[in-house]
Amino acid sequence: MRGRDAGARSPRLTLAPLSTSPRLHPQPKRLNSSMSAHPIVEYTSPSSWALIEDKISPFAKETLAKLIKFMEEDVYPGVRVAHAQLPTDPATRWKTVIPVVAELKAKAKSLGLWNLFLSKTHYPEYGVPLTNLEYACMAEILGRGGQLASEAVNCSAPDTGNMEVLARYASPEQQKKWLVPLLNGEIRSAFSMTERFVASSDATNIRTSIRQEGNEIVINGHKWYISGAGDPRCALHLVLGKSDPNNSDKYQQQSIVIVPANHPGVKVIRPMQVFGYDDAPEGHCEIIYENVRVPLENLVYGWGKGFEIIQGRLGPGRIHHCMRSIGAAQYALDLLLQRVTDPAKKTFGKYLYEHGTVIADIAKSRAEIESARLLVLSAALQIDKAKAKGALKEIGIAKFIVPSMACQVIDRAIQSYGAEGVSQDTPLAAMYAGLRTLRIADGPDAVHIQQIGQRELKRAQAVTQRHAEIKKREKTLAAKHHVKAHL
């Protein structure tokens, strides 16, 4: 499923399924103002905020507070409305632009809550004055509201990654035609990488053919799990394929081409499902490109630059997913707390928290969320200091730690809800499906674990040398004092 790679697949909380409970998005109890005047601590923790508060600009603090208010008053209450507005009839389900989503986007833009992910530091012409660390705080809040929350502020995958690609690598003409409408929220997009019949977690396995014929580029290939391709607003696909399969450098065999979504030869075969969820209207589609011809100017950045582009795209996308996953886990813990303290759900005369290991489950969830949040904040700060390439270790660790943590926390919440937890009456089942998928998307856990392990092994020689120097000094010191070490 690597084609959701590059941020194409959100930790898919979907639009949080309908619930009969009025407590779908509970509001946290307001804390004493002496602890902090900022509302973020009500959703995260005073300690983690205290750790980074001096690194957050006044503009970012104001924007974060504004975002929380917008989420509480408009987005979270709109989740169930969005579900109700999405038809179940397949004939119209994939042609629908959900009305409440359009309303939320208009309001978000008027409030200045727009394209928050795109840092002005890295993209001066198009970005907003927020660092990755500052956006990490905002993405956690967005993670509580699933796809709806991110789309409302034009910060949803795969568009975020595609906008970064176009802002960094596209020509001025490509940016005018495709990037500006994406930044304005007028269109949506897809990133077309994963292929059905190869192991796409190794991008060098990609078979889709991209070749030049005169002033045209011809594309032939079979992709699947292409997120966003089902959306009626999807106007372009960024297609990765092999343009120079015989190149001795396997990392210079690939190129990326812009393909208009409605172009002749682009055939959307079917929407794929994830644990039974179709994630309409965006979806994750199987697509065949059959003799698709586009102008030569649709090539992005240059021939053989595909691998370089996807690596540049993957870093920020991976950490954005982790940021939102923290919010999803925190929301799941909030739901668990409500369930185990609900008098109506007592069993055998006791609250659920008075049974078995529920208290321990709560404690473990709290500790795991706090630990994972610090890991994500560390990665975001490192990206700000050294860009994504200089934060590969931190991003990689977060990528295999955070989704697994979130799955565990959500699983505990599901257990507390019993049958209701796996039903459509709470958002927990959909949340779990999305987070479990994230352990595959953007590179499977095993790949990240292998990379981090190999990186650590590179330290072995230096560690051994340092230890030998210490032992040498120890021996000298022991001789000086006429003693023999016993350890």
Side-chain angles (χ1 to χ4, degrees), residues 86-87 89-96 229-232 271-272 278-285:
L86 182 64
D89 181 0
T92 54
R93 185 172 177 82
W94 298 98
K95 299 177 181 179
T96 299
D231 197 304
M272 303 303 298
D278 65 7
D279 293 333
E282 297 91 356
H284 316 285
C285 298

Side-chain angles (χ1 to χ4, degrees), residues 297-338:
E297 55 263 29
N298 281 27
L299 178 69
V300 178
Y301 196 40
W303 293 108
K305 299 291 188 179
F307 205 88
E308 178 183 345
I309 293 171
I310 63 172
Q311 288 303 308
R313 185 185 192 277
L314 279 170
R318 285 169 175 158
I319 203 65
H320 291 169
H321 281 325
C322 290
M323 295 169 181
R324 291 189 292 266
S325 299
I326 301 292
Q330 178 65 57
Y331 177 35
L333 178 56
D334 290 353
L335 291 175
L336 186 156
L337 292 174
Q338 291 178 79

Side-chain angles (χ1 to χ4, degrees), residues 258-271:
I258 298 171
V259 175
N262 60 354
H263 211 63
V266 178
K267 302 176 181 179
V268 177
I269 305 303
R270 57 174 173 161

Side-chain angles (χ1 to χ4, degrees), residues 148-467:
L148 177 65
S150 294
E151 186 178 351
V153 293
N154 213 40
C155 292
S156 59
D159 295 338
T160 48
N162 291 343
M163 284 187 271
E164 291 202 48
V165 165
L166 294 172
R168 182 180 299 179
Y169 301 107
S171 68
E173 293 76 17
Q174 291 170 341
Q175 290 176 343
K176 181 179 179 181
K177 185 173 182 178
W178 303 110
L179 175 59
V180 173
L182 277 170
L183 289 170
N184 292 336
E186 298 164 0
I187 61 173
R188 298 209 63 191
S189 61
F191 189 78
S192 191
M193 177 175 170
T194 298
E195 298 190 359
R196 182 176 181 185
F197 300 109
V198 300
S200 298
S201 57
D202 179 354
T204 63
N205 287 335
I206 296 300
R207 293 178 181 173
T208 291
S209 168
I210 294 177
R211 70 180 193 278
Q212 181 177 352
E213 287 188 6
N215 292 325
E216 292 183 318
I217 298 173
V218 183
I219 303 105
N220 283 280
H222 193 159
K223 306 281 191 177
W224 75 341
Y225 280 101
I226 306 307
S227 298
D231 197 304
R233 299 162 295 177
C234 182
L236 73 149
H237 301 177
L238 293 181
V239 181
L240 176 74
K242 281 197 174 178
S243 53
D244 187 7
N246 297 318
N247 194 307
S248 59
D249 186 343
K250 64 180 181 179
Y251 299 111
Q252 293 186 8
Q253 297 176 352
Q254 306 84 5
S255 298
I256 288 181
V257 177
I258 298 171
V259 175
N262 60 354
H263 211 63
V266 178
K267 302 176 181 179
V268 177
I269 305 303
R270 57 174 173 161
M272 303 303 298
Q273 295 185 353
V274 178
F275 290 115
Y277 295 96
D278 65 7
D279 293 333
E282 297 91 356
H284 316 285
C285 298
E286 181 177 359
I287 302 174
I288 292 177
Y289 299 93
E290 185 174 351
N291 293 320
V292 176
R293 293 178 174 270
V294 297
L296 190 58
E297 55 263 29
N298 281 27
L299 178 69
V300 178
Y301 196 40
W303 293 108
K305 299 291 188 179
F307 205 88
E308 178 183 345
I309 293 171
I310 63 172
Q311 288 303 308
R313 185 185 192 277
L314 279 170
R318 285 169 175 158
I319 203 65
H320 291 169
H321 281 325
C322 290
M323 295 169 181
R324 291 189 292 266
S325 299
I326 301 292
Q330 178 65 57
Y331 177 35
L333 178 56
D334 290 353
L335 291 175
L336 186 156
L337 292 174
Q338 291 178 79
R339 181 71 170 197
V340 302
T341 59
D342 186 349
K345 300 300 179 180
K346 285 184 177 181
T347 58
F348 307 105
K350 295 181 179 180
Y351 285 98
L352 291 181
Y353 73 83
E354 297 177 301
H355 290 284
T357 61
V358 174
I359 291 289
D361 286 344
I362 293 170
K364 290 176 183 176
S365 297
R366 175 78 276 143
E368 289 163 3
I369 291 171
E370 293 295 326
S371 301
R373 179 184 292 118
L374 293 177
L375 184 59
V376 169
L377 294 176
S378 171
L381 182 60
Q382 185 64 14
I383 293 173
D384 287 329
K385 289 185 174 182
K387 298 187 177 181
K389 191 172 182 179
L392 292 178
K393 180 186 73 174
E394 291 77 10
I395 293 171
I397 295 173
K399 179 57 180 63
F400 72 80
I401 290 292
V402 175
S404 293
M405 174 282 299
C407 283
Q408 182 70 269
V409 172
I410 294 169
D411 185 69
R412 293 174 186 138
I414 288 173
Q415 195 69 18
S416 74
Y417 276 78
E420 188 179 355
V422 295
S423 76
Q424 68 269 37
D425 287 348
T426 77
L428 291 169
M431 291 166 67
Y432 186 88
L435 270 299
R436 182 60 185 85
T437 305
L438 192 53
R439 293 184 57 199
I440 301 170
D442 282 2
D445 285 1
V447 170
H448 294 290
I449 291 170
Q450 181 78 2
Q451 290 173 344
I452 296 301
Q454 290 173 342
R455 178 182 288 269
E456 279 299 292
L457 281 172
K458 292 178 181 179
R459 298 175 52 239
Q461 183 176 357
V463 168
T464 301
Q465 290 175 349
R466 186 166 62 248
H467 183 72

Side-chain angles (χ1 to χ4, degrees), residues 38 49 55-67 111-124 126-139 142 153-155 164 320 323 380-381 383-385:
H38 204 285
W49 178 245
K55 297 177 176 63
I56 309 299
S57 71
F59 171 79
K61 290 178 182 177
E62 179 184 352
T63 302
L64 179 57
K66 194 187 302 182
L67 177 68
L111 292 170
L113 299 172
W114 199 252
N115 295 332
L116 304 173
F117 72 96
L118 200 63
S119 174
K120 198 174 189 68
T121 301
H122 302 301
Y123 305 99
Y126 301 105
V128 295
L130 294 172
T131 64
N132 281 283
L133 180 64
E134 291 164 343
Y135 178 63
C137 302
M138 299 176 192
L142 296 176
V153 293
N154 213 40
C155 292
E164 291 202 48
H320 291 169
M323 295 169 181
L381 182 60
I383 293 173
D384 287 329
K385 289 185 174 182

